Amino acid sequence: MSEALARELKALFARGADTPLPDGAFDALALRVFEHQHAHNAPYRAYALSQGRTPASVRHWTDVPLVPTTAFKALPLVCGAPAPAAVTFRTSGTTAGERRGTHVVQDVELYHASLRSAFRHWVLPDGARLPLLRLVPSSEELPDSSLSHMGATVEEALCAPGGARLVDAAGGLDGRAWEEALAHAVEAERPVLIFTTAFALAAALEHLDRRDVRVGLPAGSRLMETGGFKGRRAAVSRDALRAAVEDRLGIPATHIVAEYGMTELLSQFYDPVLRTGGAVRGVFQGPPWVRTRVLDPDTLREQPAGVTGVLAHHDLANLHSVSAVLTEDLGVARADGFELLGRATGAELRGCSLTFEEIERAQVHRV
């Protein structure tokens, strides 16, 4: 069953993120994915049984038990044996001694199929093949980083030759190489795609500011940025970053795409600014094989549109781990997607904490 389902999902992803997936079809697939995970993911099965949830009793995807991201730090949430795995992703961990969330990826092609379709849809909707300027460490340097793996996959599958890696394994900027890469793009009159975190982008822009360097990158150049600052430096607002990108690089706001991804998910979300020419921005959209809900932090009931809650994602690409993931991110449902408001505090996550405690108790009595 799992091999046939994986093939079906890969074919779905390959059709592209612009191919609608009706609610009924998503629901049918989600229930089959839950059946697979209930049968083969022992910790998750124990948790589901503790809540009285089985494939026979779950009638709709919204009833599939949610797992908080904190559980990925404590349990091997994988179908079958955790090793050998195609790849294992781990969260960065910002505190010494902090346990890192671990996502074991049994079928990396399933991940790649989701990634390629969504990236092409939101970042390369014009079909451009551009050299990639990476302000993210390589996957060789950080093999357990999902973002580094994402950059390598995008570069190989969707980009033109002639790109450059501009930071070291610790994320330190090679300022000279950064300036040379920009100058080469301008001289060759060839647009580029800059792939970066917000943290690295702020450092790269500060370097240009200190050197009083401004470039006008060729028309069609674009930038994808993701992530926050995680306490490593004073945060810079997204609006301020966009303004600095326009000033120092000449990339207009219509070509600056924000991405939201998680180690615990194999699909990503994007600001649709490039597809809409700026008519829709400031929200995130995911591919049709993902459904996102905004939940009350106490009760985990779905919030009305426009009301703040915690985000829960149901990602069919997570076939071999857990598809229903409860985040620690606050958001608001909008007509065109969801708005991301930042991380919730511990006090705001009472319902999520209770869910994790239930998972730990279920693990003790593992079936």
Side-chain angles (χ1 to χ4, degrees), residues 57-132:
S57 65
V58 170
R59 302 303 177 91
H60 192 264
W61 69 268
T62 54
D63 296 322
V64 172
L66 287 160
V67 167
T69 53
T70 48
F72 284 80
K73 297 180 180 182
L75 302 171
L77 292 169
V78 58
C79 294
V87 65
T88 298
F89 296 140
R90 293 181 175 85
T91 55
S92 57
T94 56
T95 304
E98 179 184 1
R99 297 181 71 174
R100 300 167 66 190
T102 300
H103 193 170
V104 177
V105 182
Q106 299 282 41
D107 185 347
V108 74
E109 273 307 311
L110 195 64
Y111 163 59
H112 289 170
S114 175
L115 166 60
R116 288 191 297 261
S117 288
F119 195 93
R120 186 184 293 115
H121 181 76
W122 277 285
V123 184
L124 301 168
D126 53 356
R129 292 187 71 91
L130 309 174
L132 191 70

Side-chain angles (χ1 to χ4, degrees), residues 348-364:
E348 292 170 319
L349 290 169
R350 289 182 292 274
C352 309
S353 298
L354 289 173
T355 300
F356 181 56
E357 290 169 7
E358 291 168 359
I359 291 175
E360 287 189 310
R361 285 197 296 270
Q363 178 67 2
V364 173

